[in-house]
Amino acid sequence: MTAEPVIDAQDTLAPAVLPPTVRASLSPSRAADFKTCPLLYRFRSIDRLPERPTVEQARGTLVHAVLERLFDLPAAARTPESAGDLVAPQWDRLVTEEPELAGLFAEGDAAGVAEFLRSAAALLEGYFAVEDPRRLEPAEREALISAVVDDELLIRGYLDRLDVAPDGALRVVDYKTGGAPREAFEARALFQLKFYALVLWRTRGVVPRVLRLLYLKDAEICDYTPDAEELLRFERTVVALWQAIEQATARQDFRPRPSRLCDWCSHQAHCPSFGGTPPPFPTLATTDPLRDARSGPAAPGADE
């Protein structure tokens, strides 16, 4: 699809200018946390326990950064070689902005860093196997979008890429640096894209024609076509999910839901399923419902 720039007035909404009825915020990542494990939602969104970045998350963030910068180049220059040339400079930029990333590798481990950069470059090869960026002009890249639903809930998140066709049709594109998942995990990824589709529908009045997942490791594309009735049902699901979060918060009752995903959880030391004890529940004065976990929605690539 070719694209024309689109400005979403809701992108610039700050809490000070939100409708006075809005009292909570939710991103697709945190909504998925609650669906996966209510206690994980509590650890991230209420306790805001720190999490050390992993190599996999850092690789995802790096690849997203390279693909964003790739589209700054003239169309003819968007080649695999150009993308490869962006890997090291973008890693240096990320480490400067987030010094904790440097701690992923032992001091002086030049070989480890080099292998990490090579692995990111290999994922970019997967990207070029499924798309030709010389034929694309995205309307939005790494854009924060938001909308108010049910008068009280602000939903928001980062789009990896939005393509807009000359006829106004929208295509939402999400880069995944992991392998193509089994059905249950693909449903989680589509949940995220439906979240974005709902925001776009509510802010622009257009149901996206295509929700596209690009699995770079396996060089696979998964396309999904939503409709207005489905997004209306999904909106009710999101509102019901938030109501469940509110009820759990009022009861201070967020229970663990053990699964194979526990193997990747940073908070086993605090989880009763692993013999841990959650920290004391924060007082209401220390929480801000308009601050979705950490300082906002999860950064691009952070939840790969």
Side-chain angles (χ1 to χ4, degrees):
M1 289 185 177
T2 57
E4 296 293 335
V6 177
I7 297 176
D8 184 348
Q10 296 246 10
D11 287 356
T12 59
L13 277 177
V17 297
L18 287 172
T21 55
V22 173
R23 58 192 182 87
S25 172
L26 189 65
S27 74
S29 298
R30 301 294 76 81
D33 284 345
F34 188 82
K35 282 167 58 69
T36 300
C37 175
L39 187 59
L40 175 62
Y41 173 89
R42 180 197 149 171
F43 287 155
R44 285 178 164 170
S45 294
I46 296 177
D47 299 299
R48 297 187 182 127
L49 298 181
E51 295 185 6
R52 289 179 57 85
T54 67
V55 170
E56 290 76 17
Q57 289 169 339
R59 185 184 296 112
T61 300
L62 173 57
V63 169
H64 278 72
V66 170
L67 290 175
E68 180 185 9
R69 296 302 189 276
L70 183 67
F71 285 100
D72 289 337
L73 301 176
R78 297 170 195 161
T79 64
E81 294 75 20
S82 295
D85 290 342
L86 288 169
V87 172
Q90 285 304 305
W91 177 244
D92 291 341
R93 178 183 66 82
L94 289 171
V95 171
T96 299
E97 295 175 357
E98 303 175 52
E100 64 271 19
L101 292 176
L104 291 171
F105 304 98
E107 186 174 354
D109 184 13
V113 174
E115 177 56 33
F116 170 76
L117 298 180
R118 280 194 294 270
S119 68
L123 290 172
L124 293 168
E125 293 175 5
Y127 169 73
F128 282 93
V130 294
E131 273 196 341
D132 183 354
R134 296 172 299 179
R135 302 176 61 185
L136 298 167
E137 290 298 337
E140 304 280 349
R141 289 173 284 144
E142 307 295 2
L144 177 62
I145 60 172
S146 62
V148 175
V149 297
D150 200 41
D151 296 325
E152 295 183 336
L153 179 63
L154 177 71
I155 58 174
R156 56 183 181 169
Y158 282 99
L159 289 173
D160 285 351
R161 200 180 83 214
L162 179 66
D163 301 333
V164 182
D167 64 357
L170 305 181
R171 179 171 63 195
V172 179
V173 179
D174 196 66
Y175 307 125
K176 295 297 182 186
T177 52
R182 293 182 296 276
E183 184 176 350
F185 294 94
E186 186 171 281
R188 177 184 172 101
L190 285 175
F191 177 87
Q192 179 183 7
L193 289 188
K194 289 179 184 179
F195 209 99
Y196 300 150
L198 175 59
V199 173
L200 293 168
W201 182 41
R202 287 307 187 197
T203 56
R204 307 184 185 190
V206 178
V207 174
R209 182 177 295 172
V210 177
L211 306 180
R212 171 166 290 182
L213 293 161
L214 294 183
Y215 291 103
L216 308 186
K217 182 178 180 180
D218 296 328
E220 291 187 14
I221 293 177
C222 173
D223 280 348
Y224 185 81
T225 301
D227 58 42
E229 289 186 2
E230 180 180 13
L231 293 184
L232 188 59
R233 292 193 300 270
F234 185 76
E235 183 176 57
R236 291 195 290 265
T237 297
V238 170
V239 171
L241 186 64
W242 177 250
Q243 290 171 345
I245 292 171
E246 284 194 313
Q247 292 170 5
T249 303
R251 297 192 302 265
Q252 300 186 9
D253 184 12
F254 290 85
R255 300 184 184 183
R257 186 175 297 153
S259 72
R260 284 178 294 176
L261 295 175
C262 294
D263 293 341
W264 291 275
C265 183
S266 301
H267 307 298
Q268 292 183 6
H270 296 286
C271 180
S273 295
F274 292 87
T277 301
F281 200 87
T283 63
L284 290 178
T286 66
T287 63
D288 179 0
L290 282 175
R291 273 190 67 201
D292 200 281
R294 306 162 194 150
S295 60
D303 291 326
E304 292 297 332

